[in-house]
């Protein structure tokens, strides 16, 4: 199974799980403008992100690196909300974000060191 079909099947599963809540909101009076906003977010925000994500994976981005990028995105959400709306994140949100950021930095440093060591070994062998 290719990566794009995995994303499609995963999103179809989410649609099936969330459909009852959506139709419940529809019965309680969700309007056309609300539906348009939801459709926009689904197509543009999620759809465009998945398009770029699957293109990057098809061009050779490792699964681990793609996963790390996926982990960093929710960490940035409270930061954007703080910067644009002024809502302060809780202490636990800051701790969790710090753990993720430190993990990403450690991964990047270790990966850079590993690649540098491999390139030095290849240079010595040639």
């Amino acid at each position: 199974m290719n990566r794009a079909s995995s994303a499609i099947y995963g999103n179809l599963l989410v649609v099936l799980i969330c459909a009852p809540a959506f139709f419940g909101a529809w019965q309680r009076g969700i309007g056309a403008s609300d539906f348009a906003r939801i459709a926009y977010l689904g197509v543009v925000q999620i759809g465009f992100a998945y398009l770029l994500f699957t293109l990057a994976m098809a061009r050779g981005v490792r699964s681990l690196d793609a996963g790390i990028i996926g982990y960093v995105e929710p960490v940035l959400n409270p930061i954007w909300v703080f910067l644009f709306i002024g809502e302060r994140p809780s202490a636990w949100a800051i701790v969790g974000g710090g753990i993720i950021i430190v993990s990403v930095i450690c991964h990047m440093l270790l990966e850079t060191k590993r690649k540098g060591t491999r390139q030095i070994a290849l240079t010595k062998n040639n």
Side-chain angles (χ1 to χ4, degrees), residues 26 33 77 90-91 118 125:
W26 189 270
S33 64
N77 286 338
S90 70
R118 185 183 324 153
N125 290 336

Short mmCIF file of all heavy atoms in Angstrom, two decimals, residues 26 33 77 90-91 118 125:
data_model
loop_
_atom_site.label_atom_id
_atom_site.label_comp_id
_atom_site.label_asym_id
_atom_site.label_seq_id
_atom_site.Cartn_x
_atom_site.Cartn_y
_atom_site.Cartn_z
N TRP A 26 -25.45 19.34 12.92
CA TRP A 26 -26.30 19.78 11.80
C TRP A 26 -27.75 19.88 12.25
O TRP A 26 -28.44 20.84 11.91
CB TRP A 26 -26.15 18.79 10.65
CG TRP A 26 -26.81 19.26 9.39
CD1 TRP A 26 -28.09 19.03 9.00
CD2 TRP A 26 -26.23 20.04 8.36
NE1 TRP A 26 -28.33 19.61 7.81
CE2 TRP A 26 -27.21 20.25 7.38
CE3 TRP A 26 -24.97 20.59 8.17
CZ2 TRP A 26 -26.97 20.98 6.23
CZ3 TRP A 26 -24.73 21.31 7.03
CH2 TRP A 26 -25.73 21.50 6.07
N SER A 33 -22.96 28.98 6.52
CA SER A 33 -21.65 29.63 6.67
C SER A 33 -20.72 28.78 7.54
O SER A 33 -19.51 28.72 7.27
CB SER A 33 -21.81 31.03 7.24
OG SER A 33 -22.34 30.97 8.55
N ASN A 77 0.78 25.14 17.66
CA ASN A 77 -0.58 25.69 17.76
C ASN A 77 -0.75 26.61 18.96
O ASN A 77 -1.25 27.73 18.81
CB ASN A 77 -1.61 24.57 17.78
CG ASN A 77 -1.79 23.95 16.41
OD1 ASN A 77 -1.48 24.57 15.40
ND2 ASN A 77 -2.27 22.73 16.39
N SER A 90 -1.24 26.49 29.15
CA SER A 90 -1.09 26.01 30.52
C SER A 90 0.34 25.53 30.75
O SER A 90 1.12 25.35 29.81
CB SER A 90 -2.06 24.85 30.78
OG SER A 90 -1.65 23.70 30.06
N ALA A 91 0.67 25.30 32.01
CA ALA A 91 2.02 24.83 32.35
C ALA A 91 2.29 23.46 31.72
O ALA A 91 3.39 23.19 31.23
CB ALA A 91 2.18 24.75 33.87
N ARG A 118 29.40 9.15 8.56
CA ARG A 118 29.29 8.30 7.37
C ARG A 118 30.04 8.94 6.20
O ARG A 118 30.73 8.27 5.46
CB ARG A 118 27.84 8.07 7.00
CG ARG A 118 27.70 7.09 5.84
CD ARG A 118 26.30 6.86 5.37
NE ARG A 118 25.29 6.87 6.39
CZ ARG A 118 24.03 7.21 6.19
NH1 ARG A 118 23.63 7.58 4.99
NH2 ARG A 118 23.17 7.20 7.15
N ASN A 125 37.53 5.89 2.48
CA ASN A 125 37.54 4.68 1.66
C ASN A 125 37.84 4.98 0.21
O ASN A 125 38.28 4.12 -0.53
CB ASN A 125 36.22 3.94 1.78
CG ASN A 125 36.02 3.31 3.13
OD1 ASN A 125 37.00 3.04 3.84
ND2 ASN A 125 34.79 3.08 3.52
#
